[in-house]
Amino acid sequence: MAEMQVQTEPPSIGKASAELQPNSAAPAQAQAKPPSDAPAPAAQQQKRGPSIHQIYALPAPIRTFPLPTFYPNNPISLFHVAYAWLGQVFRPPPAEPAVIHHGVWSETTISVHIKDEKSMRALWEQGFYGKGNLSRSEPNWLKREQVQRGLQEVHVSEIFTQQRREERAQAKWERARLEQEAILRTKLEEERLAASSRRAEKDKAVPDSTPSFVAPVGPLELLALPNSAVIVSRLESILTPISILAPVGPLQLLALPNSAADIAKLAKVNASKANESSSSPHGSSTEDSEEPRTPITNETPEVFRDDRSVISSSDGVGNKTLNRRKSVRFSPTVESATYKASDPPSPNRSPPVLFSQPSQANGNGNSDSQTLPSLPLASVPVSDPIINKEHLQLTPEEAFFLSFGLGVLEVTDPASGRVLSRQELFSLFRQYSYFPPRNGPDEPDLEPDDGFLVHYAVYHHFRSLGWVPRGGIKFGVDWLLYTRGPVFDHAEFGLIVIPSYSDAWWKKEGRQGPRKPWSWLHSVVRVLSHVTKSLVLIYVDVPPPHKFEEALKDGITEAMKLYKIREVMVKRWSSNRNR
Amino acid sequence: MESPKLIRIANISGRYLVFDPDAVSALRRQANTNGTLVGTTPQQPTQNIFLGLPIELRPEEVDALIRTNVAYVVDDVAAHKSALQSLDPDSRRAYVSSLRLRKQTAQKVFAEINAQKASITASKKNKKARDSSSAVPSTDLGTADSGALKSDGNPSPRNSQVTLLGVTPTSSINYVSPDANALPEEPRNSEKGSLCQFMLGSGYYMTPGLRFGSRYSVYPGDPLRFHAHFMANEYGWEEEIPILDIVGGGRLATAVKKAFLIGGRKPSTSPDMVTSPVRTFSIEWAGM
């Protein structure tokens, strides 16, 4: 099954490069590789698909058929050229673009949706267009889902990122735990020294009666601290048997009482079950922190069961979450460090619908698995195939480049079901680059400096030069420039597009570009230098409206020719670092 | 916070400066305002960050200080001119003589320094000559020693340098009456600078946030004791905030373990004194 799944993708690529084969020898060599790769040794744990150089061999969703190179000192190459030329004359390759993809304009997201799976793959693999609506960039929701259900074993970057984040969070909690332990140890040491000195003086051991609070290492713990000495003294009466340890894991954090009222409730429960509660206040009882104390509140979740009445965590051990003493110290793994917004705030208070195994996180005996799976593997019996619910979203610039620049995309209007012409698409995208969109009859006219035109000029410019521009909102810039594509390398540049009104007409009009403060530039440059990219300011000279309208009558190409692009690279220079 | 003495803020060519060290420390202690040290020597200005008095205050800080009745602003140029032109003859004479005295001391010190330098170079030359000729150096040493003694006999060079600095008085406060030419309390447009005012009012300290790409970096206490907690930007109530700014600011702030704070005040529609509260939002980048 898994092999079948892996093999589903290569054939389409094989077909794509098969069209190239008669003309270029390099893909043929590359094509010869997969058979040798396919019977990979079993020692290789992760099955590897075709290399990324094969998958992403085509830089654009069109094919080219160049003639082979003619070497004057190699007469045979003349035959080669002649053969290829004759081949193309007698059996001309299909007219390009051979494949025209279909997209649907989506007004709500101001993007063009590609629903067909083949088109999604093709547009992604041939030039890195678009973004999966359920993915970070590559539309791989289906693959991810299959990996999570244990059907496939492939590399999915989102899962890796999630794991990395979980590990990082875990490491932070671990660090906090170690710090906390060190503090406890020091306290213990001091306690012992103090006790011995006291004993040396006289045998008057007055136990410290004020509850002492452990240094908070988490926000909830911080909130749980008393706000003033008055509250401390009030708490003292009820709080004495309960000691709250610093949480060293997200679940422990969530399991903490939210307020003093909760603590009071806990205390009452404790009083009723006083047989177990150890009576010493926390501050003077740190000496036994080395060995696991008996759980203070073993049965307390019943309280919550009473007022919430829905606790569906099936395994009985799962409700021992208040057993913090233990969990603090023996929590090698945390089942899940990320929570959805719909998750209950505290795992044992509201119905844990989505918590599959809440008990494992608390480090009870049944947490055997040391791995950090984001979803339980193989626990979901899947027999029905997963339907791909993802589609590819193209930004207006990408869609228009594909349609106007390459001619490989048709966009239909979902309202009328009609294929939009290029002119219609052009004005549609221009209308929607304003907010609110200027598509009503009484809206102001479109201008030559609207967001779509300026950005499209930049996009077309860099696409034509062979760069791969992709949206850069995650780094606070307009576009990111990849040399070959996000699969191969990191983006090298971040672009900020600035309309420039350098024409005399604009100057007379008094129109100015955006006035940004210096702090804005610092912020952008610093964000980019954190991720080792350089900032490029792209000034787009906007033509005056009358010229633009005139040129637009002759077509979009003429109109776009009026836009000039200037690039200014900005580097953060610090005197200390650049000596 | 009714400080006993209002703090005098000098407005010179559009900048708000405080020259008095006591006032600076009072500002810092009582008004959460630390300002920026901008002072340097007029000749040979330092090109590093180690600057001295006066401190410069931001306009919105000054606004907040005036509102809380901690300080007042003086048009210092006008005050200076009027005070120095309308001096009565006695004080005028005293002032001129003091200037003259200072000049004389400066000249004296300068001459001394020159003499010292000359003697040092002379001794060096002598030394060189002596090294080349390998002559007996007793007399040369003696002159060098005597030169050193001479300079030691006078006030030490360090002291003389202090008096030299005194030639340009750091403030003319002795001659200008402190509240001359006090500018009327200017009710600025209340929207601008309201975030600064609000943060100062709630006990935060602020320094310029240019390093972190924002208007202010906000400290929970004195910046010498704390790290900044926020990078703050103020926006107008109706101002459009570009989403890229929020992303960039949030990202940068989170990367330097701070939070990105934006805020603004709704302009009060009614002309009465009741102002709507400042709304603030703190933004963090979660995906890191």
Side-chain angles (χ1 to χ4, degrees), chain A residues 165 168 473-478 516 518-520 522-523 526-527 530-531, chain B residues 210-214 242-245 247-248 251-252 255-256 285 287-288:
Chain A
R165 284 187 184 152
R168 205 178 296 163
I473 188 174
K474 56 184 167 181
F475 295 118
V477 292
D478 287 316
K516 295 280 196 178
W518 276 109
S519 59
W520 168 82
H522 269 243
S523 157
R526 237 186 119 145
V527 167
H530 270 196
V531 288
Chain B
L210 188 60
R211 261 193 323 149
F212 296 117
S214 65
I243 189 72
L244 290 182
D245 289 10
V247 172
R251 230 190 132 102
L252 179 54
V256 291
W285 184 259
M288 265 189 175

Side-chain angles (χ1 to χ4, degrees), chain B residues 50-79:
Chain B
F50 304 110
L51 300 169
L53 284 177
I55 60 166
E56 184 180 350
L57 302 176
R58 283 185 295 271
E60 55 263 37
E61 272 179 349
V62 172
D63 204 34
L65 290 177
I66 291 173
R67 273 166 200 282
T68 50
N69 206 15
V70 176
Y72 63 100
V73 178
V74 166
D75 184 357
D76 209 36
V77 179

Side-chain angles (χ1 to χ4, degrees), chain B residues 205-225:
Chain B
Y205 283 65
M206 291 194 278
T207 59
L210 188 60
R211 261 193 323 149
F212 296 117
S214 65
R215 287 269 292 278
Y216 318 108
S217 36
V218 180
Y219 295 74
D222 194 300
L224 292 176
R225 290 179 60 205

